[in-house]
Amino acid sequence: MKIAFIGLGSMGQPMALNLVRAGFSLVVYNRTASRAEKVVEAGASRSNSPQDAVRDVDVAITMLADDDAVEQIVFGAKGDGSGILQALKPGAIHVSMSTISVALSRSLAEAHLSAGRGYLAAPVFGRPDFAAAAKLGVVVAGAEQAVEVCRPLFDAMGQGVAVIGQEPWKANVVKIGGNFLIASLLEALGEAFALVRKYEIRPEQFLTIINSLFRSPVLENYGNLIAAEKYEPAGFKLRLGLKDARLVARAADDSATPMPLASLIHDRFLASFARGKGEIDWAGIAESIAEDAGLASQKR
Amino acid sequence: MKIAFIGLGSMGQPMALNLVRAGFSLVVYNRTASRAEKVVEAGASRSNSPQDAVRDVDVAITMLADDDAVEQIVFGAKGDGSGILQALKPGAIHVSMSTISVALSRSLAEAHLSAGRGYLAAPVFGRPDFAAAAKLGVVVAGAEQAVEVCRPLFDAMGQGVAVIGQEPWKANVVKIGGNFLIASLLEALGEAFALVRKYEIRPEQFLTIINSLFRSPVLENYGNLIAAEKYEPAGFKLRLGLKDARLVARAADDSATPMPLASLIHDRFLASFARGKGEIDWAGIAESIAEDAGLASQKR
Amino acid sequence: MKIAFIGLGSMGQPMALNLVRAGFSLVVYNRTASRAEKVVEAGASRSNSPQDAVRDVDVAITMLADDDAVEQIVFGAKGDGSGILQALKPGAIHVSMSTISVALSRSLAEAHLSAGRGYLAAPVFGRPDFAAAAKLGVVVAGAEQAVEVCRPLFDAMGQGVAVIGQEPWKANVVKIGGNFLIASLLEALGEAFALVRKYEIRPEQFLTIINSLFRSPVLENYGNLIAAEKYEPAGFKLRLGLKDARLVARAADDSATPMPLASLIHDRFLASFARGKGEIDWAGIAESIAEDAGLASQKR
Amino acid sequence: MKIAFIGLGSMGQPMALNLVRAGFSLVVYNRTASRAEKVVEAGASRSNSPQDAVRDVDVAITMLADDDAVEQIVFGAKGDGSGILQALKPGAIHVSMSTISVALSRSLAEAHLSAGRGYLAAPVFGRPDFAAAAKLGVVVAGAEQAVEVCRPLFDAMGQGVAVIGQEPWKANVVKIGGNFLIASLLEALGEAFALVRKYEIRPEQFLTIINSLFRSPVLENYGNLIAAEKYEPAGFKLRLGLKDARLVARAADDSATPMPLASLIHDRFLASFARGKGEIDWAGIAESIAEDAGLASQKR
């Protein structure tokens, strides 16, 4: 089975490496060519264009920043048909692992179907360190047969593959819904920490107690970041959190689902971004919450 | 050590039972006398008034419904000094385990100090089944010596005692903050489930995936209730959730901590209550969220 | 008809003056005695205690800062019956013109009824300059006969008296509801102005257009303040706006009326207060809105 | 001066009629041809395609439902260059009077500039009865010379033309901002009316008082609709209000302006739409607010 991997960012690079290490024959493409070196050293071959990369493969994986990037790669820079959709062999499968909008995933599904190419949506949960450790959670949706063809790839990149149904965009809904839950946790923790600080309770003390209540590694991890006000280096940048908040808002709007908490979170990320916090960790929305309460940073 | 226990509701009764079983000498009082029978059978003695109950004890525990109930028991029905505060021996300790406002806890602390009585705030995390299993999480604040005197009692009722400081009301802040986090989770789950249902994904499928992400028994428990729309019998009634939402709102207001998520949750509970859902489980706010999205119950 | 007037603040003083000028026999009381001078010069007599002030009068008017102040004056500093309620002649009427909670107004109504004294709630719309010009809008509720007795007083202080019903607290609901509408306008203007500024449109330009649409002097007045960022001197202080936001939130909660916009406004005032803006004009919440958008003041 | 008018809906038809009556030479196009009859009877000529309609004119006016409709007319159904942009004479002016997104207006401005055609944005305030009475408020932005060329047209359709600057999209920002203020008023009135109803005050009574305070015909008009629960026939449909709420949300997001009230309004319209209220008047969001408060309609 020949594989193309397009998009070697902080997530894509370790994912591609894990595929090479698992013995798959990989051809890679990245806009910034230097990002490919590590994977090529490990045994992948390199291509100079997305179309060349996918021309002979059975499966093409894309792991890109956002809707725009995916649209350009799939349909060509000007929507002129110069993208990978045309370059793929009939019957080849495009696996879109990026966090993209439900709406785009839906139109990708339709475009691939019309063109006689396979399409799976397979977004992932987990940060770069999880990608490196092949511990990503993969959520897949699409035609059953295609899922089975690609399962060994998912197994090489993650632990645990959840298959969500035949309509590819459902996997994107799940990914967006999961991110919304994490963002909700950040907002809730930020507000709770501001409250306890106002009553002169140390956030660490509060965190210890709620950890024993919730016993969730996600809460513990983000709770520690917020208690320590450690927003740099960013594990996941706040401006990417804003991007995800937009994806939830869009999905909610398209499906006529009122989600006031999603709106609150979107406004929180927007305000944090507007106040210049776009490059810190997305847990840094807690800093905006503290500022709204008139609380000074405890670190300075 | 002689103990009085006032308030034998769904939480108080199993807590008192555990104290008796652990060998403590207990005198109990409950407004509705019949609720005392089970504890008396187990070996406690019964008193006909709160004042009589506390007159000779070293420690008086109160576990009551709300601020009003606590005020009546402590200060007397008309604030006329006919409550337990006056009846307690000088130096005896009142342990308030009810979920009450930070403001009331603060004024209780001041009143006990003036009167020469001890006062601990020791609210608990956990539902009645946790109380019965002596698995409550106890959060204590107050004078160190008093905490040490009472520690064996806490150990008999719960597992794990967290001491939060010398100012009693800090324990109430922590309790209120913890409840706020759970209520935030309910809102977030309710919105996420409505979203996935709109995209024809079964909530159970979504829940399985996010459980593997968050790995929190609290999320799993409430996620199951909401996915199954199982809001009766209520583990914790929605109108009590509204009471708690008011406590957070009050603490936020008193301390000048803007908490928009707490406001959203308060409005959610209020709307659910106004629509006649006060007696179902507080996870039932998810039903209001689904209704706002035009989703019919899947159970009917 | 003998009148007592208690509370000679920025509103009470011009109101009392207008009564004197209209020929009413007035005895005044104010905690800070110097505030009474102007009214005494105009012909009022002065009293050294609220009880003395009201002892012989037919009508006692109170115009005080908040619930606490009203409770102290009516029931005595310690709730010990040393207030004006006991000092009033049987059958005399207490006219409460302060902006107080619906809940307090209700209990005042009950207390006066039990004690055989009359009680009207008659809060006013208008700032100090309106009070001075006898242009206040008076909203009255209470027993019809008492309303008729007091009508000449209202006419001397305002223009237009609206009678809202027999239950006094209804007048307070109307006052609170009206203030909520103004605060909503402030929030809406603040957000709209931030938006147009982001698109490099001058607020003044936008304001001219919406003035021609809404043609409301209230919008025009506040629109001018916000466009000019003129928040000092305060016509109505932001911390008093916060007080009023609390009254709405309380009335909404007591009556099980979900008011998410009222919650948003409360949080906005709270955040503005927490960030040190309590003493500027309440239109200054627009400054917080602009800051959230990362907009610098245009004045500096 | 030859004019084309494209889009003869409930707004476009009376606007076109006023142009004909004012003596302008008009060629009209509407997808549903029958809508053109009235204008043709009045003296306009009819065209069978948008391109034909604009081919010889000096000014082409479009008054269409939404972004999609405008994009199709301007760029052709498939973005294939078969729209009016290509068909217009060089130097001819396209006046876009539809309520569209700021983002689309910006890209229209760029496209017309590249193509050597003029472009003005000139959205209007006012409902169909205002259009019929030539009382619309027209907000214009674009090149000064083009504005002067078109001024007689605006004068024939409205009263008062506000010129907002040279960048066309600024007019759309103003239109969107104005609509946001009206929607904010609807939300505020809906909440206030729910509150007073809970305290057994008739909305009409409350409305009379706040009308005397605000003295705004907009408030009076919508206040009457909400007090009477008269949401049919719709003057402006709720689903169009939702469309406008989306435009605000989009403009806020694109410009990094946190607008929590705009978010609240968007969620309110979305929930009302999801509950089947899309075809009633947009003031009908007040019905959702009343339902949230558990209030039954007073009409039934």
Side-chain angles (χ1 to χ4, degrees), chain B residues 246 253 258 260 263 266-267 270-271, chain C residues 246 253 256 258 260 263 266-267 270-271:
Chain B
R246 283 174 174 142
D253 192 32
S263 298
H266 177 258
D267 285 324
L270 201 61
Chain C
R246 282 173 175 144
D253 192 33
S263 299
H266 177 258
D267 285 323
L270 201 61

Side-chain angles (χ1 to χ4, degrees), chain C residues 26-141:
Chain C
L26 215 68
V27 53
V28 300
Y29 170 80
N30 194 65
R31 206 175 42 184
T32 309
S34 60
R35 295 277 312 168
E37 276 164 31
K38 211 166 166 185
V39 191
V40 169
E41 275 169 33
S45 64
R46 183 201 316 243
S47 188
N48 288 321
S49 82
Q51 296 96 305
D52 287 349
V54 306
R55 221 172 292 280
D56 297 318
V57 302
D58 304 291
V59 174
I61 296 172
T62 52
M63 187 63 187
L64 300 156
D66 54 25
D67 276 28
D68 283 352
V70 172
E71 278 193 285
Q72 279 199 23
I73 291 291
V74 174
F75 299 117
K78 297 173 183 170
D80 56 359
S82 69
I84 64 168
L85 177 58
Q86 295 303 326
L88 277 169
K89 290 188 298 190
I93 304 165
H94 171 204
V95 183
S96 167
M97 302 190 77
S98 320
T99 296
I100 58 171
S101 70
V102 179
L104 176 58
S105 194
R106 195 189 287 263
S107 63
L108 288 176
E110 288 162 5
H112 285 75
L113 189 65
S114 309
R117 271 75 178 177
Y119 173 69
L120 297 179
V124 297
F125 286 106
R127 294 183 169 201
D129 53 336
F130 272 61
K135 287 187 171 175
L136 294 171
V138 185
V139 181
V140 193

Side-chain angles (χ1 to χ4, degrees), chain B residues 125-187:
Chain B
F125 286 107
R127 294 183 168 201
D129 54 335
F130 272 62
K135 287 187 171 174
L136 294 172
V138 185
V139 182
V140 194
E144 269 178 52
Q145 202 186 342
V147 171
E148 289 320 308
V149 168
C150 297
R151 192 179 283 274
L153 304 173
F154 301 140
D155 287 338
M157 291 183 284
Q159 58 179 7
V161 176
V163 181
I164 206 73
Q166 308 241 357
E167 296 86 355
W169 57 87
K170 287 186 176 177
N172 303 95
V173 174
V174 169
K175 166 64 182 166
I176 283 171
N179 273 19
F180 161 68
L181 289 179
I182 301 175
S184 298
L185 177 65
L186 297 180
E187 175 71 27

Side-chain angles (χ1 to χ4, degrees), chain A residues 92-117:
Chain A
I93 303 166
H94 171 204
V95 183
S96 167
M97 303 190 76
S98 320
T99 296
I100 57 170
S101 71
V102 179
L104 176 58
S105 194
R106 195 189 285 263
S107 61
L108 288 176
E110 288 161 5
H112 285 75
L113 189 65
S114 309
R117 270 75 178 176

Side-chain angles (χ1 to χ4, degrees), chain D residues 2 30 65 107 115 141-143 169-170 178-179 198 200 212 228 240 253 255:
Chain D
K2 288 194 67 178
N30 194 64
S107 62
W169 58 87
K170 287 187 177 178
N179 273 18
K198 281 288 184 108
E200 299 183 350
S212 70
L240 298 178
D253 192 32
S255 61

Side-chain angles (χ1 to χ4, degrees), chain A residues 242 246 249 252-261 263-264 266-267 270-274, chain D residues 242 246 249 252-261 263-264 266-267 270-274:
Chain A
L242 173 57
R246 284 174 172 143
D253 192 33
D254 285 350
S255 61
T257 312
M259 296 178 71
L261 176 46
S263 299
L264 191 165
H266 177 259
D267 285 325
L270 201 60
S272 302
F273 177 77
Chain D
L242 173 57
R246 283 174 174 143
D253 192 32
D254 285 349
S255 61
T257 313
M259 296 179 72
L261 176 46
S263 299
L264 191 164
H266 177 260
D267 285 324
L270 201 61
S272 301
F273 177 78

Side-chain angles (χ1 to χ4, degrees), chain D residues 266-288:
Chain D
H266 177 260
D267 285 324
R268 178 70 72 193
F269 276 100
L270 201 61
S272 301
F273 177 78
R275 290 197 240 169
K277 301 186 200 293
E279 300 303 315
I280 67 174
D281 194 87
W282 70 329
I285 59 168
E287 196 171 85
S288 297

